[in-house]
């Protein structure tokens, strides 16, 4: 199945063969008052060159995108819209070279590798929970977390090897290993670390007026605290 025009998903749609979305095409994973929720399941890895939007046009319907890994190409857009409200779930790994925009609180449950070399914009809370085999690598591009939002990552691993993380929102690591290679200045993004290990060559600086919270975690990085560091339970600081 190749979409060159528009695909509108209502209720449950299972795509079990080859699937792709061409440049300029649109997939609307859209809940409404008639069909209720929308659930698009794609069984095989696929590529998006167009626009895939999770949205609603009636009541607080649940909208889900699930299945195999989606490669969001440089000309592709994955958009989670507010619509008329409701829960949003993406239970599929995203390899993003294009644009991912989260405008409605979204939960992800993933057991494959994810990556970003494009633009990942978090304007509403996004929670990613990784199963065995799951990971998120930011090697280029930009991850922006809006001041009113958080990006929460739980279990397995997160690696920041290149590109930019900014936006002044909250980046939360929970029960996992985070490897941060570039230098991180708190306030460009705010970080909280819970039951986690933080490694990497770069340093962490907490400026005046900023607070870093560490709970039952180990940090193997250089720390410069000009603001406030709060440590709770057992915390190991092994950097300079």
């Amino acid at each position: 199945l190749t979409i060159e025009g528009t695909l509108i998903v209502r209720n449950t749609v299972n795509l079990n063969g080859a699937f792709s979305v061409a440049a300029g095409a649109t997939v609307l994973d859209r809940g409404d008052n008639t069909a209720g929720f929308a659930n698009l399941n794609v069984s095989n890895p696929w590529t998006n060159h167009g626009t895939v939007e999770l949205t609603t046009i009636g009541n607080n319907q649940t909208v889900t995108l699930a299945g195999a890994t989606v490669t969001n190409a440089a000309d592709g857009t994955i958009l989670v819209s507010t619509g008329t409200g409701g829960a949003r779930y993406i239970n599929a790994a995203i390899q993003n070279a294009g644009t991912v925009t989260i405008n409605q609180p979204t939960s992800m449950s993933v057991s494959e590798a994810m990556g970003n070399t494009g633009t990942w914009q978090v304007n509403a809370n996004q929670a990613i929970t990784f199963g065995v085999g799951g990971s998120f690598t930011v090697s280029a591009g930009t991850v922006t977390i809006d001041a009113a939002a958080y990006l929460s990552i739980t279990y397995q691993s997160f690696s920041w090897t290149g590109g930019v993380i900014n936006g002044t929102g909250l980046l939360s690591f929970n029960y996992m290993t985070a490897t941060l290679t570039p230098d991180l200045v708190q306030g460009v993004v705010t970080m909280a670390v819970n039951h986690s290990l933080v490694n990497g060559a770069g340093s962490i600086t907490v400026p005046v007026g900023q607070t870093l919270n560490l709970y039952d975690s180990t940090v193997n990085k250089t720390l410069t605290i000009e603001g406030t560091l709060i440590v709770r339970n057992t915390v190991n600081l092994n950097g300079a």
Side-chain angles (χ1 to χ4, degrees):
L1 174 62
T2 299
I3 304 301
E4 297 181 349
T6 300
L7 169 65
I8 298 177
V9 174
R10 305 171 67 201
N11 208 276
T12 297
V13 174
N14 298 313
L15 302 180
N16 298 317
F19 178 58
S20 64
V21 182
T26 300
V27 174
L28 291 175
D29 194 6
R30 190 174 72 186
D32 59 44
N33 283 337
T34 303
F37 65 86
N39 185 0
L40 175 60
N41 297 299
V42 183
S43 296
N44 296 303
W46 57 289
T47 300
N48 173 49
H49 290 278
T51 298
V52 176
E53 182 178 5
L54 285 70
T55 190
T56 50
I57 57 172
N59 292 336
N60 296 322
Q61 304 293 350
T62 297
V63 181
T64 303
L65 173 64
T69 298
V70 51
T71 297
N72 196 43
D75 55 350
T77 296
I78 296 175
L79 173 61
V80 181
S81 296
T82 301
T84 56
R88 305 286 185 270
Y89 297 96
I90 301 178
N91 297 330
I94 299 174
Q95 290 289 341
N96 180 52
T99 301
V100 174
T101 302
I102 307 296
N103 289 331
Q104 177 74 352
T106 301
S107 296
M108 297 185 70
S109 181
V110 178
S111 296
E112 293 80 30
M114 297 199 347
N116 183 71
T117 58
T119 299
W120 198 295
Q121 179 73 42
V122 181
N123 297 324
N125 294 338
Q126 182 175 18
I128 304 174
T129 301
F130 286 115
V132 175
S135 65
F136 192 4
T137 299
V138 177
S139 57
T142 303
V143 175
T144 301
I145 308 169
D146 185 78
Y150 63 71
L151 174 59
S152 174
I153 304 173
T154 302
Y155 302 134
Q156 307 309 322
S157 68
F158 173 85
S159 296
W160 177 31
T161 60
V164 175
I165 298 178
N166 61 17
T168 73
L170 176 65
L171 176 61
S172 175
F173 299 127
N174 309 284
Y175 298 92
M176 59 176 296
T177 298
T179 301
L180 311 178
T181 301
D183 295 337
L184 175 69
V185 178
Q186 182 101 337
V188 175
V189 67
T190 299
M191 189 170 65
V193 182
N194 304 296
H195 299 276
S196 294
L197 171 65
V198 181
N199 292 317
S203 62
I204 298 174
T205 300
V206 180
V208 174
Q210 295 291 320
T211 299
L212 172 62
N213 283 278
L214 303 176
Y215 182 84
D216 200 17
S217 295
T218 296
V219 179
N220 296 322
K221 295 174 66 66
T222 298
L223 286 175
T224 300
I225 307 300
E226 300 165 354
T228 301
L229 173 65
I230 299 176
V231 293
R232 293 178 295 161
N233 211 318
T234 301
V235 173
N236 298 296
L237 303 178
N238 298 323

